[in-house]
Amino acid sequence: MQHFPIYISLTGERVVVAGGTEAAVAKLRLLMKTEAVLEVYAAQVHAAIRDWAEAGKLRLISRSVEASDLQGARLAYAAFEDEAKDAAFAALARSKGVLVNIVDNLHDSQFITPAIVDRDPVTVAIGTEGAAPVLARAIKADLEERLPYRLGLLARVGKAFRNRADVLPMGRNRRDFWRDYYFGKGERQTAQANPLSIENELEHLLQKHLDAPEREGRVDFVGAGPGDPELLTLKARRLIDEADVILHDSLVPLEILELARREALIIETGKRGYGKSIAQDDIHSLMIEHAADGAQIVRLKGGDPSVFARLDEEIDALDAAGIAWSVTPGITSASAAAASSGASLTRRGRNTGLRLLTAHDTEGFADHDWQALAREGEVTALYMAKKGARFVQGRLLMHGAKPQMPVTIVENASRPDERRIVTDLSNLATDLDTLSLDGPAILLLGLSPRTSSETLTHPTREEIAL
């Protein structure tokens, strides 16, 4: 991010525009929405600027701008549409410590003016760092259609009522009140376009929240899916947005955590086969402690909470403490890996079942019905298998699996840095050692992808002999 988005107060502040071109007209249309004191310096100006000056919307000074004119100004715009004149004015503004924007010159500007959706006092600013103005306009057009024109009225009445709502405790109680207003009662009242009616509804709503019992803490187990934020369910996104506390495992990427509110407490509770990990009992204690304080907690787990995620242990701890909970499923990595490979996990005539297995458990390498897994045509999704691949390979070969059994290794399924590697059972352990995969990987035993993947080639016995 090269430009940090902020909102600058311009009430009573001077903004200097140098130049009277069409570019100046475009900037002034936006600036006149503010409460700034606008000054335009130009010998020749567009007719619209002259009309605005005559209407008292801005001051027009028909001469070149001088250094003293910039003293105390908050912002400056160079709008001559002449490279030399714009550069000279920008240098003058910078010498006086005034932030300057050169119209249509991102590189030499100190700030940019984004595309704006205006529902005063609600404003949405859209910037693309100058990379894609057409995209910014498309987003603006989309938001213009989505945001009702009465949204400004709703916000203005709400703003005037803020001091009254301060009788509610800080935090969730107050947020629940405002959520009910903006997305419920108040939104319906704006159809009447009557501020007094909306304010009366706010009084009734406030009393309702004052009389309501204190909300008890709870835990929502939420599946974050394999990593792509677009694969989150709608319910998962809502719960993440509403959470006071998020306890997440190490498989949840930053892009999903950024969906949380800025005020939410975010705690990593990751478990790793090596390196720093948090004890399971400590996770239980964190959930119970925050829920006892009335927090709405999201226990955010990669994939699906019910697949190799210690869900039962954590539910047992909550039940023992008398804390309410619910489970919101997510897409498990086996489904994501198969989807990106274009392969079906089940297929008529090939396999009548699918196994989801882990390569190790709390006691070490997990034991399975290896003879069943070794049968030709069987498909198995093997989780957490990087360290146990050699053990799995040996057990399968020992129980009759063909060395040519196809194996698809999918690292970081669904993410931008996803890798798919095609190998076979005889080379599985060696290839995993060679690849040195850093991200979470799942093995699809007995399954070949239908889309392009990295295929590892291995020498034949004859080639080795040569």
Side-chain angles (χ1 to χ4, degrees), residues 73 352 399:
T352 58
H399 287 82

Side-chain angles (χ1 to χ4, degrees), residues 150 154 179-194 197-198 201 205 208:
R150 293 192 180 95
L154 187 69
R179 183 179 289 110
D180 282 356
Y181 167 63
Y182 282 114
F183 304 108
K185 298 283 188 179
E187 187 179 28
R188 292 190 289 272
Q189 286 290 323
T190 55
Q192 304 177 24
N194 184 341
S197 174
I198 301 173
E201 186 61 45
L205 188 62
K208 174 185 172 183

Side-chain angles (χ1 to χ4, degrees), residues 65-130:
V65 66
E66 299 174 359
S68 59
D69 298 322
L70 288 161
Q71 193 69 38
R74 178 58 65 93
L75 299 176
Y77 284 86
F80 289 108
E81 296 188 274
D82 179 286
E83 187 174 338
K85 290 182 178 179
D86 284 337
F89 173 75
L92 188 64
R94 282 193 288 267
S95 72
K96 292 296 182 180
V98 181
L99 291 175
V100 63
N101 170 272
I102 304 175
V103 178
D104 292 332
N105 183 344
L106 176 70
H107 182 266
D108 296 321
S109 294
Q110 293 176 294
F111 70 95
I112 58 176
T113 304
I116 294 174
V117 178
D118 183 14
R119 299 290 186 270
D120 185 36
V122 178
T123 57
V124 181
I126 306 153
T128 63
E129 305 272 17

Side-chain angles (χ1 to χ4, degrees), residues 151-459:
L151 184 64
L153 171 62
L154 187 69
R156 285 193 295 275
V157 174
K159 181 180 179 181
F161 198 80
R162 287 191 71 86
N163 289 339
R164 286 281 294 113
D166 286 349
V167 297
L168 288 167
M170 283 283 291
R172 171 161 294 278
N173 299 74
R174 209 173 290 181
R175 287 199 306 275
D176 286 348
F177 166 75
W178 287 115
R179 183 179 289 110
D180 282 356
Y181 167 63
Y182 282 114
F183 304 108
K185 298 283 188 179
E187 187 179 28
R188 292 190 289 272
Q189 286 290 323
T190 55
Q192 304 177 24
N194 184 341
L196 182 59
S197 174
I198 301 173
E199 189 171 341
N200 288 337
E201 186 61 45
L202 268 171
E203 288 287 357
H204 291 305
L205 188 62
L206 178 61
Q207 192 59 50
K208 174 185 172 183
H209 278 261
L210 287 170
D211 294 339
E214 188 73 20
R215 182 188 286 195
E216 294 184 351
R218 62 173 291 112
V219 176
D220 289 289
F221 295 94
V222 176
D228 182 353
E230 292 187 348
L231 293 180
L232 284 171
T233 65
L234 293 175
K235 185 175 182 180
R237 291 199 67 146
R238 176 177 62 78
L239 290 171
I240 291 170
D241 177 67
E242 294 177 356
D244 300 310
V245 179
I246 295 178
L247 305 176
H248 69 94
D249 65 33
S250 56
L251 297 179
V252 179
L254 180 61
E255 291 82 0
I256 289 179
L257 295 176
E258 287 180 343
L259 299 174
R261 294 181 301 106
R262 285 182 300 173
E263 299 84 2
L265 177 62
I266 300 177
I267 304 171
E268 181 179 352
T269 56
K271 289 184 174 296
R272 299 173 177 86
Y274 49 88
K276 185 178 180 181
S277 296
I278 184 170
Q280 187 63 42
D281 286 342
D282 291 337
I283 296 174
H284 299 166
S285 297
L286 283 169
M287 290 191 296
I288 294 168
E289 174 189 343
H290 288 289
D293 290 337
Q296 307 300 295
I297 302 163
V298 162
R299 178 71 174 101
L300 194 59
K301 296 172 177 283
D304 182 272
S306 66
V307 180
F308 306 123
R310 302 199 179 194
L311 178 64
D312 294 291
E313 298 173 49
E314 297 183 9
I315 287 176
D316 288 345
L318 295 179
D319 283 343
I323 294 170
W325 54 268
S326 70
V327 180
T328 299
I331 294 176
T332 189
S333 56
S335 298
S340 65
S341 300
S344 174
L345 291 170
T346 59
R347 180 179 177 180
R348 285 189 299 172
R350 183 191 67 197
N351 61 312
T352 58
L354 166 69
R355 292 175 173 85
L356 305 182
L357 303 178
T358 177
H360 58 84
D361 56 25
T362 55
E363 303 299 324
F365 293 135
D367 217 351
H368 300 292
D369 184 352
W370 300 109
Q371 190 169 357
L373 298 178
R375 286 197 296 262
E376 188 172 3
E378 294 299 318
V379 174
T380 302
L382 201 61
Y383 291 69
M384 299 173 282
K386 288 191 293 185
K387 293 181 65 176
R390 193 171 299 277
F391 170 79
V392 171
Q393 177 192 47
R395 287 294 187 275
L396 287 173
L397 290 172
M398 183 187 304
H399 287 82
K402 292 185 176 181
Q404 297 79 27
M405 174 191 282
V407 179
T408 301
I409 306 167
V410 184
E411 179 191 25
N412 296 320
S414 85
R415 303 185 190 189
D417 55 349
E418 177 186 291
R419 294 175 66 194
R420 292 189 306 277
I421 299 96
V422 180
T423 184
D424 57 37
L425 184 60
S426 64
N427 292 287
L428 172 60
T430 302
D431 287 344
L432 276 174
D433 289 341
T434 302
L435 291 166
S436 299
L437 304 181
D438 295 324
I442 189 166
L443 308 186
L444 301 177
L445 304 176
L447 199 65
S448 296
R450 296 170 64 93
T451 57
S452 60
S453 302
E454 180 181 343
T455 303
L456 299 183
T457 58
H458 305 91

Side-chain angles (χ1 to χ4, degrees), residues 7 114-120 122-128 134-152:
Y7 285 80
I116 294 174
V117 178
D118 183 14
R119 299 290 186 270
D120 185 36
V122 178
T123 57
V124 181
I126 306 153
T128 63
V134 172
L135 178 59
R137 285 195 292 272
I139 295 171
K140 170 180 164 64
D142 183 57
L143 290 174
E144 290 280 7
E145 292 181 8
R146 291 171 180 265
L147 299 180
Y149 284 99
R150 293 192 180 95
L151 184 64

